[in-house]
Amino acid sequence: MKQNGENRLEGYTKMPELPEMETYRRLLQERLTGQAITDVSVQREKTINIPAAAFEEHVKGTAFSTVERRGKHILFRLQSGRVLLLHLMLGGFLYWGTAEDKLDRTAQMTISVGRHVLYFHGLRLGYLHLLTQEEAENRLAKLGPEPLDPLFTAEQFTRLIQKKRGVLKAALVDQHVLAGIGNCYADELCHHAGILPLRRIPSLQPEEEKRLFHSLQAVLHDALEHGGYMETPFFRGDGLTGGYNEHCRVYDRGGEPCPRCAHPITQDVWSSRKVFYCTGCQQ
């Protein structure tokens, strides 16, 4: 198992989900709110949506107003009125440091705030787009509700998944159904609820749907408390980010004994996605 802190500096190959992006949002909000952007460097133009010179001109010299999250996206709201919309996709991660303690790998983007630098790593598929407020809202308009919104109820959850007729995991990772859930937490919440992720939705009983909603809340809150499953710390000496790696019960645990019943965990492939579950205690 990987340990927290400075020893976890390996590359990252998973797609960050709600707990990982919310952990980033909280850490970024603490460091960036009200801070002026003193420098911008674009190493990979495909990461952005306008020419690098124009991007740097619009961003450099303005300041961060606030940092928000929507699903798997982070929105850096700038005092200029523009928005930087970030999606890390598969393999992307963030690092906060200085020129002296940066990671030994190339960043696709850097944004400097005085002597500190926000490094955007692994954005081969991800992006950081400069948008107007309206453009950002349009990009995110079709996302489903936030699972941890205090106003999101078990009844709403049930209505959303009952609109789907296929496999449970397909509904859980559909961003138009719920915003922010991906492979890891779909499998984790299904295990918590004792329900197989490949069950057909019409076969679910009302009591099972209630269990799924409870498990959704419990697993996401637990993952947030432990900093998500990122493998690279956000800053040197960071002991929070990635702490949930040690708490995953089935995800990436194929062949290991189930922590609930000791039956070997099954690793399967569904619709080109890995899926992990226990046939001993999930039905």
Side-chain angles (χ1 to χ4, degrees):
M1 296 291 185
K2 297 179 178 65
Q3 301 300 313
N4 284 341
E6 295 185 20
N7 292 331
R8 287 191 290 103
L9 291 172
E10 300 88 347
Y12 180 69
T13 57
K14 301 171 184 174
M15 183 180 289
E17 302 177 32
L18 187 156
E20 291 72 49
M21 299 307 282
E22 179 61 20
T23 298
Y24 276 149
R25 187 204 65 78
R26 294 175 181 181
L27 293 168
L28 290 163
Q29 178 82 350
E30 293 173 2
R31 289 161 174 79
L32 297 181
T33 301
Q35 297 297 309
I37 297 170
T38 55
D39 199 13
V40 178
S41 179
V42 179
Q43 284 78 41
R44 182 176 184 270
E45 289 215 27
K46 289 185 178 179
T47 298
I48 58 178
N49 59 323
I50 60 177
F55 185 95
E56 293 169 6
E57 181 182 354
H58 278 97
V59 174
K60 186 176 178 180
T62 189
F64 292 101
S65 176
T66 189
V67 183
E68 300 173 2
R69 180 193 57 78
R70 182 72 172 97
K72 300 178 185 179
H73 302 77
I74 284 180
L75 297 88
F76 300 90
R77 296 198 181 273
L78 306 177
Q79 290 183 2
S80 65
R82 297 292 189 95
V83 178
L84 288 172
L85 182 66
L86 172 69
H87 197 310
L88 292 172
M89 298 295 284
L90 184 67
F93 67 97
L94 302 176
Y95 185 78
W96 173 261
T98 64
E100 291 74 35
D101 70 2
K102 65 180 181 179
L103 302 182
D104 186 20
R105 59 183 296 169
T106 301
Q108 284 69 58
M109 283 281 312
T110 60
I111 294 179
S112 299
V113 178
R115 66 184 296 268
H116 284 92
V117 182
L118 180 59
Y119 296 89
F120 297 79
H121 288 290
L123 295 188
R124 299 300 177 187
L125 300 174
Y127 58 82
L128 183 69
H129 287 178
L130 180 66
L131 306 171
T132 65
Q133 303 273 3
E134 184 179 2
E135 287 170 339
E137 290 175 7
N138 289 339
R139 286 275 194 98
L140 305 175
K142 293 183 179 180
L143 292 179
E146 291 286 331
L148 295 183
D149 187 327
L151 300 179
F152 184 60
T153 65
E155 291 73 21
Q156 287 176 293
F157 172 76
T158 298
R159 286 198 298 271
L160 285 168
I161 63 170
Q162 283 182 347
K163 291 179 181 178
K164 300 291 183 177
R165 309 301 294 173
V167 167
L168 175 59
K169 179 158 183 169
L172 294 174
V173 301
D174 186 339
Q175 299 305 293
H176 299 125
V177 176
L178 291 173
I181 305 299
N183 280 336
C184 174
Y185 295 106
D187 290 351
E188 288 293 301
L189 74 91
C190 284
H191 180 267
H192 188 280
I195 297 169
L196 289 167
L198 300 184
R199 280 270 300 274
R200 307 289 295 185
I201 288 174
S203 74
L204 295 174
Q205 300 301 309
E207 187 275 332
E208 291 177 312
E209 293 167 345
K210 291 179 182 178
R211 289 209 320 261
L212 281 168
F213 178 77
H214 169 74
S215 295
L216 172 69
Q217 303 286 309
V219 167
L220 291 180
H221 279 296
D222 189 36
L224 274 175
E225 181 181 346
H226 292 96
Y229 63 46
M230 301 296 291
E231 294 195 1
T232 304
F234 179 63
F235 58 89
R236 186 72 62 176
D238 177 10
L240 171 65
T241 308
Y244 194 70
N245 261 343
E246 308 302 322
H247 294 264
C248 285
R249 298 174 70 82
V250 290
Y251 190 73
D252 265 357
R253 300 284 193 260
E256 296 180 22
C258 170
R260 184 163 54 208
C261 72
H263 192 276
I265 294 167
T266 298
Q267 176 177 334
D268 206 344
V269 176
W270 163 81
S271 191
S272 300
R273 294 174 181 264
K274 288 183 180 179
V275 57
F276 299 87
Y277 52 87
C278 175
T279 57
C281 59
Q282 290 177 259
Q283 300 179 349

